[in-house]
Amino acid sequence: MKTVIIGMLATEKDAGHGHRRWARWRPTVALCRQPDLPVARLELLHEPRFRGLAEQVSEDIRSVSPSTTVRLFPLERVDPWDFGEAYAALRQFARHYPFNAEEEEYLIHVNAGTHVARICMFLLTESRHFPGRLIQSISPARSDRKSLGAYRIIDLDLSRYDPIVARFQEEQLDAVSFLKSGIQTRNADFNRLIEQVEKVAVASRRAILLTGPTGSGKSRLARRIFELKKTRRLVTGSFVEVNCATLRGDAAMSALFGHVKGAFTGALQARPGLLQAADKGVLFLDEIGELGTDEQAMLLRALEDKTFLPVGSDEEVRSDFQLIAGTNRDLAAAVRPGRFRDDLLARINLWTFRLPGLGQRPEDIEPNLHYELEQFGHVEGRRVRFAREAWGTFLRFAVSPDAAWSGNFRDLNGAIVRMATLAVGGRITLELVHQEIARLRTAWRTEDNMRKDSLTERFLGPTRTGELDHFDRTQLEEVLRVCLRAKSLSEAGRILFAHSRKRKKSGNDASRLQKYLARFGIRYADIWAPSPVDSAPSDFPAIQA
Ligand SMILES: Nc1ncnc2c1ncn2[C@@H]1O[C@H](COP(=O)(O)OP(=O)(O)OP(=O)(O)O)[C@@H](O)[C@H]1O
Ligand SMILES: [Mg+2]
């Protein structure tokens, strides 16, 4: 096999005039003089303006290594610092070069030329456009400048390269495990989901939507995605988190988009707002379904143009953030009554990940229980273990259909913390387990009843409710729901009679609602008497006026 070297001219290191040039190490010349590397041919690529130098190097090689043929290839009109141009030119060269792998062995010289050219040479060799191995010339020690230095051949196909590939795979596994807090989950669907989240987190800056029941880990996953991006240096800014349910009325705009000094009464200082705080980082809008429609419009614009207007300002502010949205509502269902903008939904649901509740992945309950127990140990500084029989009993209950785990990780965490705290001598006994199971059952039953609890029954009592027609009962139920979520009688009236109000121009919605309620002997004030929002079931639809 004949050895052929393909390389760029090193315009500085290969340079030199007069006899003094022989006193310096010149990488291209030195490569052709290595005693154990007979080079049959050197293909010397160069910019046309260095033609003179290329010819001199070629002549010098011929004088010290007569058996080496040197051919010069000018790379026309190429800026060697422009990645696109350099890559295209080298690829062009590779495409037309008559490689003859049967008779010739190719070595691609990777440490000559601009850094851009070197990277291109590497990439083209790795992709087999250059069907050869890399050769790296190594300069001699400073004290021995006249010597030939050395060389190293790097085969990208060889096992030396495999560890790098393996390392990449390992890094991906590490990242997936990081997203799962190191818990060895077994549910195949869940594992696939998290693998996809990892890929998207690393590769995309587009919005991500995390859905799933309460306590399924949306908030925690959002933070982990941010942390993963941070370790990969994909974000330099901060993680800014806000629960949209806490943003109400006029304050919502200013909290999100900021305001200028004097924008409204009480705006004594300018305030930057959360979007700006998330610049170059991640903004996590939890319960995004609760966002008001004005805020939704502004947010959409901020996502599309990366600019928005703070309250009271006519100067646009720029912020480049990645949005992660969380919700446990069906946003598509909220689009129909106009509570959620469909264009915003389209923008944020490119990557929608639905986190399953614990009940949907019973095989993961065991590893999660181990995890919770370990966490308790870390936080409290003492190790707690289950007695053997206690563990078996609790696990059987935990994976059975009896266990609702309706608060998901919150319930699981609560159960472990309670049992571990009460464990005397670090042992969770069978008795503690029985107590905890009873406690969980009661809690879930109460929640369940709350959910099924009819509002009509709450205000009319079971007897009178039983006397109502189904027609009246369903209508009253819905009206009461709206009343409970609205901030005032007028707001509830506006929501309930929105369309007839538009058609009629005027009309008193509040009194119309009052009259309707009076038919059942209910006064609006009664609905609000016993802190109704707190006692309202958690799955009530959000209502925006
Ligand atoms: N994979 C997990 N393993 C163990 N604990 C978890 C996991 N994910 C979340 N948790 C814990 O469970 C609790 C609830 O999680 P988180 O707040 O992320 O849920 P959520 O889906 O955002 O709930 P909500 O809809 O109510 O906001 C937190 O204390 C969190 O630390
Ligand atoms: Mg949350």
Side-chain angles (χ1 to χ4, degrees):
M1 287 285 250
K2 287 189 212 159
T3 297
V4 177
I5 293 182
I6 300 173
M8 292 284 296
L9 179 69
T11 53
E12 274 175 30
K13 290 224 171 84
D14 283 334
H17 293 292
H19 67 276
R20 289 220 330 263
R21 70 183 186 273
W22 293 106
R24 290 179 51 235
W25 176 75
R26 291 182 292 163
T28 304
V29 180
L31 266 188
C32 296
R33 293 176 70 189
Q34 300 292 333
D36 55 349
L37 183 76
V39 180
R41 203 163 69 245
L42 169 73
E43 312 289 21
L44 192 56
L45 313 179
H46 62 87
E47 285 175 77
R49 64 194 173 109
F50 290 106
R51 181 77 189 184
L53 175 60
E55 276 169 2
Q56 182 180 27
V57 167
S58 156
E59 220 166 89
D60 288 349
I61 291 173
R62 226 169 283 135
S63 72
V64 289
S65 172
S67 58
T68 306
T69 311
V70 182
R71 299 198 301 189
L72 303 185
F73 285 89
L75 297 174
E76 294 296 345
R77 289 185 297 278
V78 166
D79 171 1
W81 286 100
D82 180 302
F83 191 89
E85 281 187 13
Y87 186 85
L90 288 168
R91 205 182 147 166
Q92 183 82 350
F93 170 84
R95 185 176 295 148
H96 295 295
Y97 190 88
F99 289 108
N100 175 4
E102 306 272 287
E103 287 167 29
E104 297 182 339
E105 181 199 33
Y106 301 98
L107 296 175
I108 317 302
H109 189 194
V110 270
N111 55 330
T114 61
H115 285 94
V116 169
R118 295 174 195 198
I119 293 168
C120 293
M121 299 288 261
F122 172 88
L123 291 176
L124 288 163
T125 308
E126 194 196 29
S127 60
R128 307 298 296 161
H129 287 86
F130 284 130
R133 294 182 292 169
L134 301 175
I135 185 164
Q136 185 188 9
S137 47
I138 298 165
S139 68
R142 274 192 185 285
S143 52
D144 189 17
R145 275 309 192 201
K146 276 190 193 169
S147 96
L148 295 176
Y151 68 91
R152 186 181 298 142
I153 289 177
I154 306 157
D155 190 341
L156 294 183
D157 274 349
L158 266 190
S159 56
R160 280 230 277 165
Y161 192 54
D162 287 347
I164 301 176
V165 175
R167 182 78 203 104
F168 275 130
Q169 281 165 351
E170 224 168 81
E171 234 169 70
Q172 200 212 347
L173 285 180
D174 283 353
V176 168
S177 159
F178 174 77
L179 290 177
K180 296 196 292 187
S181 311
I183 303 171
Q184 309 256 333
T185 50
R186 303 164 188 166
N187 182 279
D189 287 342
F190 181 75
N191 287 344
R192 251 196 306 277
L193 179 94
I194 299 294
E195 271 164 34
Q196 245 192 35
V197 171
E198 190 269 341
K199 285 199 186 111
V200 172
V202 172
S204 173
R205 282 193 35 81
R206 304 245 201 150
I208 293 177
L209 178 62
L210 301 177
T211 72
T214 184
S216 57
K218 301 180 291 292
S219 299
R220 175 194 284 224
L221 184 59
R223 182 174 283 278
R224 292 241 148 189
I225 291 173
F226 166 76
E227 282 163 7
L228 178 63
K229 292 180 93 89
K230 195 154 175 114
T231 57
R232 296 286 174 85
R233 295 177 211 287
L234 297 168
V235 289
T236 51
S238 327
F239 181 73
V240 177
E241 177 175 6
V242 64
N243 186 325
C244 299
T246 64
L247 302 175
R248 290 280 172 195
D250 295 341
M253 272 287 187
S254 131
L256 286 169
F257 306 102
H259 63 244
V260 293
K261 189 174 164 182
F264 46 84
T265 332
L268 301 177
Q269 296 291 332
R271 173 181 169 181
L274 298 167
L275 265 70
Q276 210 178 336
D279 189 22
K280 300 192 171 59
V282 169
L283 176 66
F284 176 46
L285 291 183
D286 204 358
E287 301 200 30
I288 194 167
E290 302 289 322
L291 210 56
T293 39
D294 290 349
E295 288 80 19
Q296 289 175 28
M298 189 90 119
L299 176 65
L300 179 64
R301 182 153 166 242
L303 287 173
E304 279 172 350
D305 307 342
K306 301 189 187 351
T307 57
F308 55 90
L309 281 175
V311 178
S313 168
D314 45 20
E315 244 172 75
E316 290 192 323
V317 168
R318 252 190 101 71
S319 176
D320 188 7
F321 59 90
Q322 179 172 13
L323 177 72
I324 303 184
T327 184
N328 53 24
R329 292 186 192 287
D330 179 358
L331 289 182
V335 165
R336 262 166 268 130
R339 266 191 279 117
F340 204 79
R341 292 181 66 110
D342 56 351
D343 45 7
L344 180 59
L345 180 60
R347 183 88 199 179
I348 64 176
N349 78 355
L350 172 70
W351 297 114
T352 298
F353 297 105
R354 183 174 171 76
L355 295 186
L358 269 181
Q360 286 170 272
R361 44 189 190 111
E363 59 274 64
D364 286 345
I365 285 179
E366 186 176 354
N368 274 303
L369 285 172
H370 286 304
Y371 172 81
E372 292 295 343
L373 211 54
E374 223 166 81
Q375 286 301 105
F376 182 87
H378 281 309
V379 175
E380 300 295 323
R382 63 192 170 94
R383 253 171 106 85
V384 177
R385 295 192 167 279
F386 276 84
R388 181 192 286 265
E389 205 185 339
W391 171 249
T393 305
F394 191 69
L395 188 61
R396 264 194 307 281
F397 165 74
V399 301
S400 73
D402 271 3
W405 297 121
S406 45
N408 294 297
F409 285 115
R410 287 203 186 89
D411 287 351
L412 201 70
N413 171 269
I416 291 292
V417 167
R418 279 188 296 268
M419 289 188 286
T421 305
L422 297 176
V424 179
R427 261 171 87 81
I428 298 174
T429 58
L430 188 58
E431 192 194 340
L432 276 179
V433 162
H434 282 310
Q435 278 172 19
E436 181 57 31
I437 291 177
R439 191 198 156 98
L440 286 169
R441 279 189 206 278
T442 313
W444 290 329
R445 206 175 308 125
T446 316
E447 270 174 40
D448 210 33
N449 288 343
M450 282 256 295
R451 218 169 290 129
K452 285 191 199 127
D453 182 14
S454 124
L455 293 174
T456 314
E457 241 179 77
R458 200 191 305 173
F459 292 107
L460 295 186
T463 323
R464 282 184 59 206
T465 304
E467 288 161 8
L468 289 181
D469 280 335
H470 182 68
F471 178 86
D472 284 325
R473 193 179 156 166
T474 35
Q475 190 172 38
L476 180 59
E477 185 73 22
E478 182 58 23
V479 169
L480 289 171
R481 267 170 186 270
V482 172
C483 289
L484 265 182
R485 295 295 288 196
K487 288 198 250 356
S488 64
L489 175 65
S490 345
E491 191 188 321
R494 274 201 304 277
I495 295 162
L496 288 162
F497 303 115
H499 289 291
S500 52
R501 177 185 158 94
K502 254 189 245 155
R503 281 196 299 271
K504 270 200 300 189
K505 274 195 203 157
S506 71
N508 195 336
D509 308 324
S511 77
R512 197 171 161 192
L513 175 57
Q514 257 172 334
K515 280 184 200 145
Y516 173 81
L517 292 172
R519 272 175 48 201
F520 303 95
I522 300 174
R523 289 182 317 156
Y524 185 79
D526 293 337
I527 300 178
W528 277 89
S531 109
V533 169
D534 292 346
S535 59
S538 57
D539 62 347
F540 271 18
I543 285 167
Q544 249 112 43

